[in-house]
Amino acid sequence: MLVVAAEHRSVLAEGFGHLRSAEWPWLVAAAGATCLTWVAAAVTRQGAVVQRLPLRRLLATQFAAGAANHLLPTGLGASAVNLRFMTVCGVPLARSSAALALYMLAEAITRVALLLVLLITFPDALHVGSLVPAAAAGPLLLAVAGAVCIAVAVVLAVRRLRTAVISFVRTALGEARSVHTRPARALALWGGSLAFPALQAAGLAAVGRALSLPVPPVHMAVAYLAATLAVAAVPTPGGIGSVEAALIVALVAAGGPVAVATAVVLAYRIITVWLPLLPGALTLGALVRLKVI
């Protein structure tokens, strides 16, 4: 165990050492892609609701939601901030919740679709067998199916819960129909949902170029999408810890050396998580004081 810990420390130390040789123009490009993800999130949020939201406050809310997202597990912080923002803007709670669900559904669909398209186009981009051993695939699928069956059984068995779920689904379907009768809203919803993971993946690819990771940019994008989907159900604040581990494993599976892949993930998370955290928290506090949320 001590030997393994020492090996991990040496890999981290070597990874930090690689950061000194980074090409800064590519890191700036990664930071630019990160900034554009907030724009994509704002566009998608607007696309998910019929009522027009104030543009500047919507964009500021997405920046602040990023900070809140790193305080609560699995996107709960960002969801809470956006739910409060929409209700303050006059969107009824039921419709705000439906819009939030529509946003999350569209983002999940486009992320999976983008990954599948890239895997079909570039079948050698990722060695999936090294990420999920064949012996573990069956039990993993059974566990997922079992969890889904249990959730459905609980909903069907508890009357009040069943009534609440049916009511919410009806509201969500009505909101989705209303959004898709407006071409501009539908384009914003699905276009923003596609742009969001694409920009995130582009940011990782830019960091990979900055640190000379010997993996093609498209393969890095595939690794990013696969890793983020794999850790989506892990309830850690902002994915801290789980995302880093999954990204390193995915980049190594795509053909990158462990030390360089570690350096890429460290730099990427610094740009996307740690640098915006303080200004995002300050923006969140200001929005609360101004009663925007």
Side-chain angles (χ1 to χ4, degrees):
M1 185 178 295
L2 292 176
V3 174
V4 173
E7 290 178 354
H8 287 172
R9 283 197 297 271
S10 66
V11 170
L12 283 173
E14 188 176 352
F16 275 111
H18 280 285
L19 296 179
R20 292 194 294 268
S21 62
E23 298 181 23
W24 289 101
W26 284 109
L27 295 182
V28 173
T34 299
C35 293
L36 288 176
T37 59
W38 301 319
V39 177
V43 170
T44 311
R45 299 283 183 187
Q46 176 61 86
V49 64
V50 174
Q51 180 174 329
R52 185 170 183 81
L53 302 173
L55 180 59
R56 292 181 182 178
R57 283 183 282 170
L58 175 61
L59 184 57
T61 300
Q62 303 320 302
F63 181 53
N69 209 33
H70 299 302
L71 302 176
L72 294 173
T74 319
L76 292 180
S79 298
V81 168
N82 279 284
L83 188 63
R84 176 63 180 168
F85 172 70
M86 285 187 285
T87 54
V88 169
C89 289
V91 182
L93 181 59
R95 289 177 53 203
S96 297
S97 302
L100 185 63
L102 181 58
Y103 168 88
M104 296 174 68
L105 179 62
E107 205 276 335
I109 290 174
T110 52
R111 188 178 292 264
V112 171
L114 182 58
L115 175 60
L116 290 177
V117 169
L118 289 177
L119 283 175
I120 292 171
T121 308
F122 304 95
D124 298 327
L126 199 65
H127 303 293
V128 181
S130 62
L131 294 177
V132 181
L140 181 61
L141 291 175
L142 286 176
V144 172
V148 171
C149 291
I150 291 172
V152 172
V154 169
V155 170
L156 293 176
V158 181
R159 183 176 180 180
R160 293 181 63 181
L161 181 59
R162 183 173 68 249
T163 302
V165 169
I166 292 174
S167 177
F168 174 77
V169 169
R170 286 175 178 170
T171 303
L173 290 175
E175 191 70 14
R177 282 194 297 268
S178 298
V179 164
H180 286 88
T181 58
R182 294 164 171 79
R185 289 289 187 271
L187 179 61
L189 174 65
W190 294 102
S193 296
L194 180 61
F196 187 76
L199 287 167
Q200 289 179 319
L204 180 66
V207 175
R209 292 294 300 272
L211 291 166
S212 301
L213 182 69
V215 175
V218 174
H219 292 197
M220 282 188 266
V222 171
Y224 174 82
L225 293 169
T228 52
L229 283 173
V231 301
V234 179
T236 57
I240 295 173
S242 58
V243 170
E244 285 84 353
L247 281 175
I248 292 171
V249 171
L251 288 176
V252 171
V258 176
V260 183
T262 301
V264 168
V265 173
L266 290 173
Y268 178 72
R269 294 293 276 177
I270 288 171
I271 291 171
T272 58
V273 176
W274 300 112
L275 287 181
L277 187 57
L278 179 58
L282 293 174
T283 302
L284 179 61
L287 292 177
V288 171
R289 286 194 301 273
L290 294 172
K291 298 183 179 180
V292 173
I293 56 177

